[in-house]
Amino acid sequence: MSHTDVVTEAQQQLLVLCSHFFATVGSLQRDAPPLSVKGEALLAAVTTPSAINEQTRTMAQQVIEASTRLEKLLLELPDTLQTEEQCLDRLEVLQQQHTQAGVELAAALQEAQMSLAEVQDCFAGLADVLLL
């Protein structure tokens, strides 16, 4: 798997992890039993504590699984502990490759434009012969 694929998959897994966090916190807030702040009378709890505990365990397990998958993906990324000089050397190599690719693409473009001009000339000649 390429580094770009790993980064993309890690981003998607981070989104899943955040989604689990938001859902878990939202559910805990919604289902939390009422508490008295100043000694006022409490309303009856909507859900039973055992149902809340089971749901909390399930959501916690989802968060743990998503976190574990994200950690595994991050471990697949290359080591980035390089010196500044190593980074600059790598950038120089990449810049040379970029320049070379640009030269090759320019040559291919010029060749394609010449071929297109030849085809257009041939087409124009055929059109003149057939239409006149």
Side-chain angles (χ1 to χ4, degrees):
M1 182 181 295
S2 75
H3 299 305
T4 306
D5 293 340
V6 173
V7 170
T8 300
E9 194 171 334
Q11 288 171 333
Q12 291 171 346
Q13 191 59 42
L14 182 61
L15 179 65
V16 168
L17 181 61
C18 289
S19 175
H20 287 311
F21 273 129
F22 289 132
T24 301
V25 170
S27 294
L28 290 174
Q29 287 175 335
R30 179 194 67 214
D31 298 338
L35 294 174
S36 173
V37 178
K38 296 181 181 179
E40 67 271 8
L42 297 176
L43 300 173
V46 178
T47 56
T48 63
S50 62
I52 294 173
N53 290 338
E54 183 59 35
Q55 183 181 15
T56 302
R57 276 191 218 95
T58 302
M59 289 187 287
Q61 186 62 36
Q62 291 173 342
V63 168
I64 290 169
E65 289 171 2
S67 176
T68 303
R69 283 192 299 264
L70 180 60
E71 286 178 16
K72 287 179 183 177
L73 287 169
L74 294 177
L75 289 174
E76 289 182 31
L77 292 174
D79 186 21
T80 57
L81 299 176
Q82 299 177 352
T83 64
E84 184 176 350
E85 184 177 312
Q86 289 172 325
C87 289
L88 291 174
D89 290 343
R90 177 72 176 137
L91 286 174
E92 186 176 328
V93 168
L94 290 173
Q95 184 62 42
Q96 289 173 355
Q97 291 174 349
H98 173 74
T99 302
Q100 179 62 30
V103 168
E104 291 172 6
L105 285 173
L109 176 63
Q110 187 174 9
E111 185 178 321
Q113 287 174 336
M114 289 173 40
S115 295
L116 178 61
E118 287 178 20
V119 169
Q120 287 174 336
D121 289 343
C122 290
F123 184 73
L126 284 172
D128 287 343
V129 168
L130 293 174
L131 295 174
L132 296 177

